[in-house]
Amino acid sequence: AQSVTQPDIHITVSEGASLELRCNYSYGATPYLFWYVQSPGQGLQLLLKYFSGDTLVQGIKGFEAEFKRSQSSFNLRKPSVHWSDAAEYFCAVGAGFQKLVFGTGTRLLVSP
Amino acid sequence: GAVVSQHPSWVICKSGTSVKIECRSLDFQATTMFWYRQFPKQSLMLMATSNEGSKATYEQGVEKDKFLINHASLTLSTLTVTSAHPEDSSFYICSARLLANEQFFGPGTRLTVL
């Protein structure tokens, strides 16, 4: 069965520093991979997605992610974090019948 | 584009009553919508897949008689929590599928059962 692991429950980054959120997936076929962001009490906003092609994917708000098949990873990166980036980040894999399986999420805290 | 709304955004009800939550795709038609449940500080768990004009497909462990889903049109799916109990208190999020493998999420509905 497909699964997603986000090993970091929470991460604290200083404003202006770089960020990398880890995501590992388990899926038998070529995965569809997503990163979503959720602010408190809100729904999910899509940051970026990978379906095929270039393994480095650019998203909104300056985020990017790199698909590494050999490592079954899809880590999210941002070169310079802003205080407004503080939120919960979810990695997800598209499973059969277009269902999404989510990781447990990583809470990003941004320190001044 | 690709906006999904939910109504209400929050609801408080007494134990034993039923609550209906609406999910609408505002600027596109969605033959498939999904309902998720999220407990505090936890991830989203898929409850069911809602297909327009047919019965919903429920995930293992989800009581279909308790969580009634109706997808009567291409822009509206409803989730009714019947005979709600405090353990049903949660954040319910819907999504609508626009393209293959791409879902757009609503803002969520917080249900509190007293």
Side-chain angles (χ1 to χ4, degrees), chain A residues 32 34 36 38 41-46 49 51 88 90 94-95 97-105 107, chain B residues 32 34 36 38 41-46 49 59 91 93 97 99-108 110:
Chain A
Y32 299 102
F34 306 81
Y36 291 89
Q38 183 181 35
Q42 301 294 316
L44 275 69
Q45 181 182 22
L46 178 67
K49 59 184 183 285
F51 287 176
E88 188 88 18
F90 292 97
F97 301 103
Q98 295 87 44
K99 294 192 295 186
L100 289 178
V101 175
F102 286 86
T104 50
R107 179 166 298 276
Chain B
T32 303
F34 301 87
Y36 296 84
Q38 185 180 30
K41 300 185 186 301
Q42 294 189 26
S43 188
L44 282 75
M45 299 300 295
L46 179 65
T49 302
E59 295 299 300
F91 194 54
I93 302 177
R97 184 167 65 91
L99 301 171
N101 290 297
E102 186 159 2
Q103 299 177 27
F104 292 87
F105 287 80
R110 183 161 304 284

Side-chain angles (χ1 to χ4, degrees), chain B residues 22-96:
Chain B
E22 294 184 347
C23 177
R24 294 182 184 272
S25 54
L26 298 184
D27 49 2
F28 66 100
Q29 294 182 329
T31 56
T32 303
M33 292 184 175
F34 301 87
W35 286 97
Y36 296 84
R37 183 174 181 176
Q38 185 180 30
F39 290 103
K41 300 185 186 301
Q42 294 189 26
S43 188
L44 282 75
M45 299 300 295
L46 179 65
M47 298 174 66
T49 302
S50 170
N51 296 296
E52 187 268 338
S54 64
K55 292 182 179 180
T57 303
Y58 291 82
E59 295 299 300
Q60 190 173 8
V62 178
E63 299 176 60
K64 60 182 179 182
D65 294 330
K66 180 168 189 61
F67 298 100
L68 301 179
I69 291 173
N70 183 277
H71 194 156
S73 78
L74 288 172
T75 59
L76 173 65
S77 175
T78 60
L79 169 67
T80 301
V81 184
T82 62
S83 187
H85 291 283
E87 58 266 30
D88 299 323
S89 298
S90 190
F91 194 54
Y92 293 88
I93 302 177
C94 74
S95 70

Side-chain angles (χ1 to χ4, degrees), chain A residues 22-36:
Chain A
R22 295 183 291 166
C23 172
N24 292 94
Y25 68 91
S26 173
Y27 188 56
T30 300
Y32 299 102
L33 295 162
F34 306 81
W35 273 100
Y36 291 89

Side-chain angles (χ1 to χ4, degrees), chain A residues 35-37 45-49 57-64 76-78 85 89:
Chain A
W35 273 100
Y36 291 89
V37 60
Q45 181 182 22
L46 178 67
L47 288 175
L48 47 78
K49 59 184 183 285
V57 180
Q58 301 297 321
I60 62 171
K61 303 184 179 185
F63 286 93
E64 67 176 27
L76 181 71
R77 301 194 293 252
K78 186 170 184 177
D85 293 324
Y89 290 80

